[in-house]
Amino acid sequence: MLLLDGNKLSALIRKEIQDKVRLFCQNDVRPPHLAAVLIGDNPASQTYVRNKIRACDEVGFASTLIKKPASTTQEELLHVIDNLNRNPEIDGYIVQLPLPRHIDEHAVNLAIDPAKDVDGFHPFNFGKMALGLPSLLPATPMGIMMMLERYHIETEGKHCVVLGRSNIVGTPVALLLSKKAKPGNATVTIAHSKTCNLAGLCRQADIIVAALGIPRFLKADMVREGAVVIDVGINRIDDPTTNRGFRLVGDVDFEEVSQKVSAISPVPGGVGPMTITALVENTWRAFSKKS
Ligand code: NAD
């Protein structure tokens, strides 16, 4: 069984980006600059943003964290976004989700300059992706595609079952897997909460991407011998034996499923770090397009 090690692969790709920064950003050329906007004090969001900023710092990017209280109004947030759009020193930025309920996520997304949209959520970038045009791709699906490519997992002609149809993971990864590209050219089934005979569908899959947000949902009896499994899920489950009182598990029952598959990504240490690496890569791309 091949472990699709997102930490190891991320270290390699980030080193490649760091080398490009060192080579390109000498003398008068400033390094790429990522900003992250964090609204409120959701602990998971704080951790994600911290890890993103740290990854940028490690490769030699500049980074700025803009922290605002949960009471921030939509108008105030749109003002922050407008400033980021206008700031020539900022190459890309993210607005960490989820946002407080009183803020319309769609309105925020629409306000982001597509050229700085390193999360790839703006409809302009999403549309370009759907048309197969070069664009800033959503970070998690892009990280998954990088993982498949770098680990030489063949997708052409394979049947992929994607569990979940969200706008940030399930739908875009299904689109990318089915594109006439490498990796891509797969036959894709998108499964969701209303899908019938999900276990039977999964058993037909050569590749399963699990992105439903249900801890250890995918069991060994739902997986064909030799399949490839990509676990996107990040779920906190209680664990009094740890200092934090919880631990992270994926949407796949790793202990069971890993006995049966040819390759599997772990949680933590799989798609999570690849998502951050894709964000770093997108920031590099947004920067180098301007330079
Ligand atoms: P979401 O809640 O937006 O979407 C979940 C999807 O799963 C929905 O489309 C729903 O129809 C489907 N679903 C729910 N129950 C189902 C069932 N019983 N059978 C089949 N489909 C079912 O979630 P999301 O934002 O796409 O995230 C999914 C998981 O991935 C979460 O655990 C999240 O934390 C994780 N995630 C990880 C990363 C990363 O960087 N690794 C990034 C984003 C999300």
Side-chain angles (χ1 to χ4, degrees):
M1 184 271 292
L2 173 67
L3 189 75
L4 304 172
D5 186 333
N7 281 327
K8 217 158 127 186
L9 182 55
S10 284
L12 184 83
I13 298 172
R14 290 182 203 177
K15 172 78 176 62
E16 292 168 4
I17 298 172
Q18 187 182 43
D19 290 345
K20 285 192 276 192
V21 175
R22 283 204 181 124
L23 200 69
F24 195 78
C25 305
Q26 294 173 356
N27 306 323
D28 289 346
V29 183
R30 67 162 178 83
H33 191 159
L34 175 96
V37 184
L38 177 61
I39 309 288
D41 42 23
N42 177 322
S45 293
Q46 285 176 335
T47 307
Y48 293 145
V49 167
R50 202 170 41 240
N51 290 341
K52 289 169 186 176
I53 296 273
R54 189 184 301 144
C56 283
D57 294 346
E58 277 169 15
V59 297
F61 291 0
S63 60
T64 299
L65 172 60
I66 301 170
K67 272 182 95 169
K68 298 278 175 193
S71 58
T72 303
T73 65
Q74 182 165 316
E75 206 185 345
E76 285 165 339
L77 177 56
L78 291 175
H79 184 66
V80 170
I81 289 175
D82 188 44
N83 284 338
L84 289 167
N85 287 343
R86 288 165 191 271
N87 187 341
E89 299 287 310
I90 301 288
D91 302 297
Y93 65 93
I94 58 161
V95 179
Q96 184 64 44
L97 302 178
L99 292 168
R101 278 168 188 271
H102 62 274
I103 298 181
D104 176 1
E105 199 177 293
H106 187 57
V108 168
N109 210 7
L110 275 177
I112 296 174
D113 176 352
K116 297 188 177 189
D117 170 38
V118 285
D119 253 342
F121 295 159
H122 192 287
F124 181 74
N125 284 323
F126 204 95
K128 281 175 86 177
M129 174 184 65
L131 293 170
L133 299 170
S135 65
L136 292 167
L137 299 176
T140 301
M142 179 173 163
I144 294 169
M145 299 308 282
M146 287 163 104
M147 182 178 247
L148 293 170
E149 183 179 19
R150 296 281 186 134
Y151 273 104
H152 307 291
I153 304 288
E154 185 57 82
T155 54
E156 185 163 317
K158 304 292 181 192
H159 181 206
C160 298
V161 170
V162 176
L163 302 177
R165 58 178 163 189
S166 75
N167 290 339
I168 62 165
V169 189
T171 297
V173 83
L175 266 171
L176 293 173
L177 284 165
S178 64
K179 280 281 146 216
K180 193 171 180 179
K182 197 170 170 55
N185 282 325
T187 304
V188 182
T189 303
I190 304 182
H192 46 76
S193 52
K194 302 284 186 271
T195 297
C196 299
N197 188 22
L198 192 87
L201 261 182
C202 288
R203 279 192 290 270
Q204 291 172 24
D206 301 303
I207 301 173
I208 300 175
V209 179
L212 13 65
I214 304 178
R216 300 198 193 106
F217 176 88
L218 192 77
K219 303 287 180 194
D221 63 0
M222 300 166 79
V223 178
R224 198 172 58 71
E225 198 84 39
V228 172
V229 171
I230 307 291
D231 191 353
V232 186
I234 302 180
N235 309 290
R236 284 183 177 204
I237 60 164
D238 291 340
D239 185 349
T241 67
T242 67
N243 285 342
R244 300 181 296 184
F246 69 87
R247 68 191 165 94
L248 298 180
V249 297
D251 290 349
V252 176
D253 192 325
F254 185 88
E255 275 79 49
E256 283 190 9
V257 172
S258 58
Q259 308 295 321
K260 226 176 156 181
V261 294
S262 60
I264 185 167
S265 68
V267 176
V271 174
M274 290 306 298
T275 296
I276 298 180
T277 299
L279 177 75
V280 173
E281 172 66 24
N282 269 345
T283 306
W284 171 259
R285 288 183 190 178
F287 164 81
S288 41
K289 226 174 171 180
K290 292 196 309 193
S291 310

